Amino acid sequence: MSLSANSEIARLAAACATRLDGVSKADVTDAPNATVLEPEFGALMREVGIVDPALTFDRDGRPSAIAAVRNALPLTERDLLDAIIEDHGCEMAALRAAMFEVIIAAASSRQP
């Protein structure tokens, strides 16, 4: 089953889309965090993880897990791990910002 076939995911996605009605790029000051879509976007992300366990993540537990792994590494490898985590974080932030820009552009193109 595709995610969009799930009624709760469809409802939450529609709620996010509704929040975009009338929003322009000038109205969005924090695009990477998509705060204009909250709290529906956060609920949508949690629901996606429930519907498809392969997309489940643990944002709250991640810092302590990373700290445990980091502390188990020798100093040289700690720096490498930090660089990898920072790079991945930057990629995820860029992805979110880019997708949000696509969403804003799509919403803007549909406005009369």
Side-chain angles (χ1 to χ4, degrees):
M1 168 172 36
S2 74
L3 291 175
S4 59
N6 178 281
S7 62
E8 184 63 7
I9 287 177
R11 184 189 72 75
L12 290 166
C16 288
T18 299
R19 283 192 167 270
L20 288 174
D21 287 345
V23 173
S24 70
K25 284 187 180 183
D27 296 329
V28 181
T29 58
D30 198 12
N33 292 318
T35 55
V36 71
L37 300 178
E38 295 300 342
E40 287 84 356
F41 188 73
L44 176 58
M45 288 190 56
R46 285 187 295 280
E47 189 65 24
V48 164
I50 291 168
V51 170
D52 186 345
L55 300 175
T56 301
F57 57 92
D58 182 10
R59 185 175 284 164
D60 295 331
R62 187 179 311 133
S64 59
I66 290 171
V69 170
R70 187 179 187 284
N71 290 334
L73 293 172
L75 290 176
T76 309
E77 283 80 6
R78 288 181 191 183
D79 292 341
L80 179 58
L81 176 65
D82 290 344
I84 292 167
I85 290 170
E86 181 180 350
D87 181 69
H88 184 261
C90 290
E91 180 182 356
M92 293 294 94
L95 173 65
R96 190 168 177 162
M99 291 306 299
F100 193 65
E101 290 299 320
V102 169
I103 292 165
I104 292 292
S108 297
S109 70
R110 289 190 218 155
Q111 292 179 3

